Amino acid sequence: MAENIVLPGDYIGTEEEYLAGKCVYSLDGKLYSSCAGKLKIVKDFEATVEPIDQKPQLKFGDEVIGVVTDINEPIIVVQVEYILRDGKLIPYDERVLLHASRIFGRFINEAGKFVKIRDVIKGKVVLISPTRIDISIEKPEDGVILAFCMKCRKPLEKINTGLYCRYCQRTELRKTADIYGGELLLKKVKEIEG
Ligand SMILES: [Zn+2]
C-alpha cells in the first residue's frame, strides 16, 4: 500500500494499473485526482484520495495564541496566530473577540486597562457562532503572555506588582497569564527579534 499527497488534477496512473476510487476520475484511460489529499492504493489496486482539511477548524475549548489588534470597549479584537493543541503550536489565522466580561469573569468598564494593543495573549475559545468566535482569558493560565513597554516598546518582565520595564524603570498593569515569561514568551521574542 502506497501513500502520498496529491493535488487536484494530479496524474495517478492508468486504468490498467488502478481502479478509480474516491476522489479519482478517469480521462482517456488515465486516472487523476479530483481533490487535494492523501493518495492511497488499497486492496484490488483501487486508487482513492482522502481529502485533507486545508485549515484546522477552531473548536470550543481550544487554546489559542494571538495578538491584540484593536480595542473598541467593551470588545477587544485578537488576531489568532496559533492554536495550542497537545503542546504543539499550529499556525492559524483568524480574528476572534474578547469581551470585557471575559477578562476576569465579571464586567469591567475599561478592558483596555488590562489588555493593550500589540499584547500577545493566550485564551480559550468559549463561543463559536456563524458570525463570531469569542475567547476568554479568565483562567489563571490564560491572559497576556507577552507585553511591550508603552514607552520604549521593549518586552516587559513580570514582577510581583505587575509588569516592569527595566529600561524605563516603570511598571504597567495587565491581566497576565501565569506562564508570562515562560517558553511561549521566549519563542515569541525570538520570532520578533528575528
Ligand atoms: Zn520601556
Side-chain angles (χ1 to χ4, degrees):
M1 190 173 97
E3 195 178 283
N4 62 313
I5 304 297
V6 291
L7 295 170
D10 274 1
Y11 173 70
I12 290 171
T14 63
E15 279 185 337
E16 281 96 24
E17 296 174 84
Y18 307 114
L19 292 166
K22 240 188 342 164
C23 273
V24 175
Y25 67 94
S26 149
L27 189 70
D28 296 329
K30 288 172 179 162
L31 302 178
Y32 300 90
S33 176
S34 63
C35 58
K38 262 187 203 165
L39 172 66
K40 288 186 177 179
I41 310 300
V42 291
K43 58 179 164 51
D44 301 323
F45 303 102
E46 184 186 286
T48 67
V49 178
E50 261 179 34
I52 298 171
D53 268 339
Q54 299 292 353
K55 194 180 162 190
Q57 291 296 307
L58 271 186
K59 295 183 309 232
F60 180 87
D62 262 344
E63 287 188 290
V64 293
I65 291 167
V67 177
V68 176
T69 56
D70 206 2
I71 299 174
N72 276 313
E73 298 285 351
I75 302 284
I76 289 166
V77 181
V78 180
Q79 191 67 35
V80 171
E81 294 186 343
Y82 299 103
I83 306 175
L84 186 59
R85 268 184 203 155
D86 307 321
K88 285 191 194 127
L89 292 172
I90 304 163
Y92 191 75
D93 185 23
E94 182 89 73
R95 206 187 69 149
V96 301
L97 304 179
L98 170 64
H99 190 270
S101 63
R102 288 186 165 127
I103 294 174
F104 295 105
R106 63 189 152 79
F107 188 79
I108 49 165
N109 278 319
E110 287 177 84
K113 254 173 95 172
F114 303 97
V115 178
K116 297 194 188 292
I117 287 175
R118 291 192 66 201
D119 281 359
V120 181
I121 67 169
K122 179 165 102 56
K124 289 191 187 74
V125 175
V126 289
L127 174 86
I128 297 180
S129 82
T131 52
R132 61 190 270 181
I133 297 170
D134 277 31
I135 61 164
S136 157
I137 59 165
E138 290 163 40
K139 296 272 163 61
E141 68 269 24
D142 295 325
V144 175
I145 58 170
L146 172 60
F148 302 91
C149 173
M150 299 296 282
K151 257 187 157 174
C152 73
R153 297 294 183 192
K154 289 201 166 67
L156 296 167
E157 287 168 42
K158 195 176 189 179
I159 55 165
N160 289 336
T161 51
L163 297 177
Y164 181 68
C165 177
R166 64 164 79 202
Y167 302 95
C168 307
Q169 301 190 333
R170 50 189 287 277
T171 53
E172 290 189 22
L173 182 67
R174 296 289 198 285
K175 193 288 181 186
T176 52
D178 56 13
I179 60 155
Y180 189 102
E183 257 176 68
L184 286 171
L185 167 72
L186 293 176
K187 185 180 154 55
K188 196 73 205 170
V189 169
K190 268 185 206 150
E191 225 177 80
I192 290 162
E193 289 177 344

